Amino acid sequence: MSSPIVLAANGLKKSYHKDRIDVPVLRGVDLEVREGEVTALVGRSGSGKSTLMHLLATLDRPDEGEVLFRGTRIDNAPRATRDRYRNRDIGVIFQFYFLLPELSAIENVLAPAMIGKSVWSYLKSRNEYRRRAEAMLDRVGLLHRAKHRPSEMSGGEMQRVAIARALMTDPTLLLADEPTGNLDTETGKEILQLLTELNQNDSLTILMITHDDEIAAGADVLWRMKDGLIETQQSARNEPLLATSAA
Ligand code: ADP
Ligand code: MG
């Protein structure tokens, strides 16, 4: 029996306009992410992966098609609904972390909890938020770095902080856009290990975007994207990925 679909894209189209010319980037993308699974979206640089992720995260809108979260359309939902979706249902991490340089690790992790709250309601729950932020930093193995700023951390540590920040609001689904793309192989493996643990031990559903077949091979399901379209979909875990992709 397959688990419920958490996130779905139906017929997503998106063009950018360059010199008055429409450049199609997504040309009708269908995609499903099932609860409890690690889904990999793999494709070469420029194939439209990040554009798709922005639509899935409601950071941008499609020209055509729809995005559904637990069966409810989210791409054209009212602003408050989209804000709630972004702030509670999903967590997002990127290749370049996007930590605020003037804040410490723990302050970066706390930031999403402060968004959308009045000062008073934040102050009222401040201790609770702080405890949760500490727990999340601990979860990613970085509690001892709580007071360090990003400039005092390695790439792998910054990505761990970004993961802790994404987990702060206890999302159902983590969208990860090339989360190891800026890291050396060993550090990248550690981050993948952490994400795998979060999937297996904490039931976090993950959509992992990558250009790297080796990374994608660890996922449960693999969607391959080419020139703005999904080319193939296959079950990935424990299957000889190289044999299938070479065929
Ligand atoms: P990927 O993440 O797979 O590398 P992207 O989604 O970032 O691919 O980009 C797909 C294509 O869309 C590329 O050709 C890129 O140049 C173009 N593109 C992305 N963002 C913009 C933008 N804001 N304006 C114009 N073109 C863009
Ligand atoms: Mg990209």
Side-chain angles (χ1 to χ4, degrees), residues 209-228:
I209 292 175
T210 179
H211 65 270
D212 186 336
D213 281 343
E214 216 180 308
I215 290 172
D220 297 305
V221 187
L222 190 155
W223 300 71
R224 193 173 288 279
M225 201 167 163
K226 193 182 174 188
D227 299 334

Side-chain angles (χ1 to χ4, degrees), residues 34 42 79 101 105 144 183 246:
R34 289 183 183 274
V42 60
R79 193 198 184 111
H144 63 293
L183 303 173

Side-chain angles (χ1 to χ4, degrees), residues 28 70 83 108 129 136 141 173 183 187 192 197 215 226 230:
R70 295 198 182 287
D83 287 350
N108 267 287
Y129 288 136
M136 291 305 105
L173 170 67
L183 303 173
T187 311
L192 285 180
E197 281 170 26
I215 290 172
K226 193 182 174 188
I230 298 293

